[in-house]
Amino acid sequence: MEGMAEVGCWAAELESVFARADLRGRMRDYVRGLLGQAARKNGWQLAEWAGHRPPDGFQRLLNSSRWDADALRDDVRAYVGESLGPNGVLIIDDTGFIKKGTTSAGVGRQYTGTSGKIDNCQIGVFAAYATRSGRALVDRELYLPKAWTSDRDRCRAAKIPDERGFATKGELARDIVRRCLAASLPAAWVTADEAYGQDWNFRRLLEQFDIGYVVAVPKSQQIKSLAGIWRIDQLIEDAPADAWQRLSCGDGAKGPRIYDWAAAKLPANLIFDPDPPAYHRWAMARRSLSDPEEVAYYLAYAPVGVEIAELARIAGSRWAIEECFQAAKNECGLDEYEVRRYPGWYRHITLAMPAHAVLTALAAQATEAAKGAVETDQPSSRSRWQKSGGSWTLSCPAHEPTATPPPTH
């Protein structure tokens, strides 16, 4: 592993970003250390492993040297897109970094899936890019709670720029999506969990970019049309038995992950959609085979002609960012930093991203093509779920609408 950071293509990327030779060398040593055998990837052990004694050079690299972490981020994104190929999935999620004290930028008591509870931590919103060849992190933003952004003295002590105000995780996610798609990352789809999927602004942004999505939503998610408003779980309850089909949403550690899936096209949006539409919106559900009461819900936006098996595969691809978090933390020291200030967080996280990208690029050569999901022919339904042209369409749901939506939605 020691020589992995010397892979020629990545060394060339670093050369193209940083003008100062001493800084380039220090960065290569830092990335090599992240890929190395140090017991912990903190400043002292990285410096010792790389032969830098004391660790002053690495500390200056993270805290005071003049270089642009966003420029490196952009090169990581381009490198990953080129290494993993086109037609991938852009995945949005956040992860926590458990911390002690109150001075680390953005730290506070907040819920994190890392520990599964409210903890003293920092939260980072990330994007990963995944294809059949592999997956790697391509963008990051540090979430700053209102307790931080409302206290400008505290922000200045942590070197948080004065222009950085409060932004929700959803707003940070939308900024990340805009950057990735504007930079021509060759993604064909976007997926995210329900924290982001339930945000109409997030979904609408993707539609404006003409990119398909499959995003998780809560069971209380409202489905709106000119005929009324319904909860997605109510619509799924109406699905006839033959609307469900057994499909794989991708391979897991124990083989194909098989669920029962139901999906129905939603009526076109007269405000936003051309006639005829180039994309269809879908309401979807995934039901556990072992526990039929365990149902997950999704909204999708897909080019005309896309099969349900493909939508299930995109939904199942969300797990790839969890694998990125695990690998980047376990193998590249993503969470083992000791910096407290805002610039230091971005610099360490951004340097861990190319370390993980190198591992991904090397592994991509041995990646097998994903197995396609098995499709089955389904007979017609006599319920209000109408089948036409090989797919299901919702006409008039059986439930009485709970409200009348505004005509512009």
Side-chain angles (χ1 to χ4, degrees), residues 144-156 160-162 164-167:
L144 300 177
K146 288 183 178 178
W148 274 85
T149 57
S150 61
D151 187 342
R152 298 320 300 182
D153 289 338
R154 190 185 188 192
C155 286
R156 292 186 186 101
I160 297 171
D162 287 341
R164 176 69 194 270
F166 176 74

Side-chain angles (χ1 to χ4, degrees), residues 143-317:
Y143 171 69
L144 300 177
K146 288 183 178 178
W148 274 85
T149 57
S150 61
D151 187 342
R152 298 320 300 182
D153 289 338
R154 190 185 188 192
C155 286
R156 292 186 186 101
K159 300 298 182 182
I160 297 171
D162 287 341
E163 62 270 19
R164 176 69 194 270
F166 176 74
T168 65
K169 297 183 186 75
E171 289 170 334
L172 296 177
R174 294 200 295 274
D175 288 342
I176 288 173
V177 167
R178 289 188 189 97
R179 282 198 296 265
C180 290
L181 299 183
S184 300
L185 183 74
W189 297 90
V190 174
T191 189
D193 68 14
E194 65 182 49
Y196 302 95
Q198 66 184 326
D199 181 0
W200 181 85
N201 292 302
F202 181 76
R203 301 195 306 272
R204 181 59 190 151
L205 173 67
L206 301 177
E207 294 175 9
Q208 290 172 328
F209 271 101
D210 288 328
I211 189 167
Y213 61 75
V214 182
V215 293
V217 294
K219 66 180 182 180
S220 59
Q221 177 69 42
Q222 293 184 335
I223 306 297
K224 302 180 181 181
S225 76
L226 295 178
I229 302 176
W230 295 267
R231 284 170 52 126
I232 193 170
D233 59 345
Q234 294 174 340
L235 295 180
I236 297 302
E237 285 174 3
D238 280 345
D242 56 358
W244 293 90
Q245 51 185 313
R246 195 152 292 179
L247 298 168
S248 168
C249 61
D251 290 339
K254 299 180 180 179
R257 293 170 293 154
I258 306 296
Y259 295 89
D260 285 333
W261 293 82
K265 285 187 289 188
L266 298 172
N269 188 308
L270 301 179
I271 303 299
F272 299 127
D273 297 341
D275 186 17
Y279 287 76
H280 290 309
R281 294 179 186 81
W282 297 77
M284 300 175 56
R286 185 198 71 198
R287 188 173 65 193
S288 169
L289 302 186
S290 59
D291 181 6
E293 297 299 316
E294 183 182 316
V295 180
Y297 301 93
Y298 300 86
L299 292 177
Y301 181 75
V304 171
V306 167
E307 301 287 339
I308 304 305
E310 176 69 356
L311 298 181
R313 183 186 72 82
I314 301 304
S317 68

